[in-house]
Amino acid sequence: MLTWLQRDSLDFPPLEKALREPEGLLAAGGDLSAARLVAAYRHGCFPWFAEGQPLLWWSPDPRTVLFPNEFHLSRSLAKLLRQQRLRVTFDRDFAAVIQGCAAPRQYADGTWITTAMRDAYLELHRLGHAHSVEVWDGEQLVGGLYGLAMGRLFFGESMFSRVDNASKIGFATLVGKLREWGFVLIDCQMPTSHLHSFGARPIARSEFASYLRQYLDQPSEADWRT
């Protein structure tokens, strides 16, 4: 039975209570306050819902993750990085990145990044939890991605490209920095062929939970204004 969250409590049900159909649906309701979102990621779930739906919280099993040391850098992408035609920055324009991620896609009818979601993650960025990667062609933003950093874990949320390979260049640069900063895992949430091409793979939800327990409160060497 689906658990409905109470607005006066930040508690989530145990991850093993997530439904099998639809796979990984853990709870509904609550709100998008910064405190609840932080509690959700620390617990092992994330919000994902469409306009007009109630708030839905998910914890799929298996969970798609990427270990930075297992990142696969293709020859073609390595060549693009060496050419340095596009410039990559961190936390320079979070609002523009999430707006880019929320924009309509050719392959989708809508977006799950609602106005309420944008506002919530902007607040998380203001509080230092959410971070952005920007990819620039000159002074024009042509791609990027955003997510949350907690301890030595990075929780990826969404990416976008306005020119070929922009998000790939941004992601590859991010993975390199996370590896340098001592991060041990990137949460990719759900499987895609795009992520698998980078080396992402599924792990059991119980194993994912063990990474949360071990690394959420370990300090990293991150410097997001590099």
Side-chain angles (χ1 to χ4, degrees), residues 207-221:
E207 184 180 355
F208 179 74
S210 72
Y211 278 95
L212 296 178
R213 290 191 295 270
Q214 186 173 356
Y215 294 107
L216 267 177
D217 295 314
Q218 286 194 10
S220 73
E221 299 178 10

Side-chain angles (χ1 to χ4, degrees), residues 82-165:
R82 288 194 301 270
Q83 290 173 345
Q84 296 184 330
R85 293 179 180 174
L86 301 178
R87 177 171 55 95
V88 180
T89 61
F90 296 84
D91 276 1
R92 300 299 168 89
D93 200 337
F94 186 93
V97 168
I98 196 170
Q99 183 64 38
C101 291
R105 314 287 177 98
Q106 292 182 348
Y107 52 83
D109 294 331
T111 176
W112 60 270
I113 306 176
T114 64
T115 300
M117 288 282 274
R118 288 199 298 272
D119 291 345
Y121 283 86
L122 282 166
E123 176 65 8
L124 287 177
H125 175 64
R126 188 187 70 80
L127 294 172
H129 299 298
H131 302 280
S132 60
V133 179
E134 301 87 17
V135 183
W136 307 87
D137 185 355
E139 297 302 313
Q140 182 180 6
L141 183 68
V142 295
L145 61 108
Y146 74 98
L148 277 72
M150 295 183 179
R152 295 171 64 190
L153 307 175
F154 185 83
F155 301 83
E157 278 297 320
S158 186
M159 61 178 65
F160 79 101
S161 286
R162 293 175 180 149
V163 300
D164 290 345
N165 299 308

Side-chain angles (χ1 to χ4, degrees), residues 5 21 24 51 57 70 94 124 130 158 173 196 200 202 209 214 223:
L5 303 180
E21 184 59 41
E51 195 76 62
W57 304 87
E70 295 181 2
F94 186 93
L124 287 177
S158 186
T173 304
H196 283 309
Q214 186 173 356
D223 179 4

Side-chain angles (χ1 to χ4, degrees), residues 73-85 169:
L73 181 63
S74 67
R75 290 182 179 179
S76 58
L77 184 54
K79 181 179 179 180
L80 289 173
L81 290 169
R82 288 194 301 270
Q83 290 173 345
Q84 296 184 330
R85 293 179 180 174
I169 289 172

